[in-house]
């Protein structure tokens, strides 16, 4: 029951409005479309509903699930990269006996991620869910290689320490 008759008035309990849009390829355009549509809906409800009426509107669109990812993805990706770097620093500080070795590992992993972020636009890769996950996976892969090489260097002896590290 979408409407009720109350004497000579009609009380609308719910209504549905179907809107179609053009397909949006860019994530920034999708995010902007979603936030502007939600703001326009809130503004329309505020203009039509008297204060204290309790009238509210809920905007639902199946693709908004994906549009939400476009809104929060850059912030969450950079936050996750920062937290990953902090976790690497803490774990390597516990497992490697030298502060210089910890700094080498953290700087090397940070350099790899900065190079990956910087090369993404050169290859036409946009920041999306898949590329964000790959950036986070690159932390794990790069820390593994760098930590093993650094650990081998710390345990190598003699004047050819760097060369013997690469042979092991």
């Amino acid at each position: 029951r979408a409407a009720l008759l109350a004497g000579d008035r009609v009380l609308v309990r719910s209504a549905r409005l179907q809107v179609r849009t053009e397909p949006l390829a860019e994530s920034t355009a999708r995010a902007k479309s979603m936030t502007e549509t939600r703001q326009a809906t809130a503004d329309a409800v505020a203009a039509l509903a008297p204060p204290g009426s309790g009238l509210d509107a809920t905007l639902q669109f199946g693709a908004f699930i994906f549009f939400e990812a476009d809104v929060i993805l850059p912030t969450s990706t950079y936050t996750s990269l920062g937290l990953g770097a902090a976790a690497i620093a803490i774990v390597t500080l516990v497992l490697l006996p030298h502060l210089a070795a910890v700094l080498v590992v953290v700087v090397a992993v940070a350099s790899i991620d900065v190079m990956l972020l910087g090369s993404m636009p050169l290859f036409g890769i946009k920041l999306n869910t898949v590329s964000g996950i790959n950036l986070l996976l690159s932390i794990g892969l790069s820390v593994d290689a760098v930590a093993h090489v650094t650990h081998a260097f710390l345990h190598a002896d003699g004047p050819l320490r760097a060369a013997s590290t690469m042979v092991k």
Side-chain angles (χ1 to χ4, degrees), residues 84-106:
I88 288 169
I90 292 168
V91 170
T92 54
L93 190 59
V94 170
L95 297 177
L96 292 177
H98 295 287
L99 184 61
V102 173
L103 290 175
V104 166
V105 170
V106 171

Side-chain angles (χ1 to χ4, degrees), residues 6-17:
D8 59 345
R9 299 182 335 172
V10 177
L11 303 174
V12 178
R13 292 179 50 177
S14 65
R16 181 177 179 177
L17 175 67

Side-chain angles (χ1 to χ4, degrees), residues 26-37:
E26 292 291 321
S27 62
T28 54
R30 290 191 301 261
K32 182 179 178 186
S33 168
M34 181 189 67
T35 54
E36 287 179 355
T37 305

Side-chain angles (χ1 to χ4, degrees), residues 34-163:
M34 181 189 67
T35 54
E36 287 179 355
T37 305
R38 286 183 173 167
Q39 186 60 48
T41 303
D43 292 345
V45 169
L48 295 174
S53 68
L55 184 62
D56 191 17
T58 302
L59 186 62
Q60 295 179 352
F61 179 50
F64 276 1
I65 296 169
F66 305 106
F67 293 6
E68 284 287 346
D70 294 332
V71 172
I72 65 170
L73 189 68
T75 305
S76 65
T77 299
Y78 300 136
T79 302
S80 296
L81 287 172
L83 290 173
I88 288 169
I90 292 168
V91 170
T92 54
L93 190 59
V94 170
L95 297 177
L96 292 177
H98 295 287
L99 184 61
V102 173
L103 290 175
V104 166
V105 170
V106 171
V107 168
V109 172
S111 298
I112 289 169
D113 278 341
V114 167
M115 285 188 281
L116 285 173
L117 277 170
S119 65
M120 284 173 57
L122 294 175
F123 294 109
I125 300 171
K126 300 198 182 309
L127 184 61
N128 57 32
T129 306
V130 174
S131 61
I133 290 171
N134 286 330
L135 282 170
L136 295 175
L137 286 172
S138 71
I139 290 178
L141 296 174
S142 60
V143 74
D144 184 45
V146 173
H148 283 295
V149 170
T150 306
H151 186 262
F153 181 79
L154 290 175
H155 289 287
D157 293 325
L160 300 175
R161 198 171 174 182

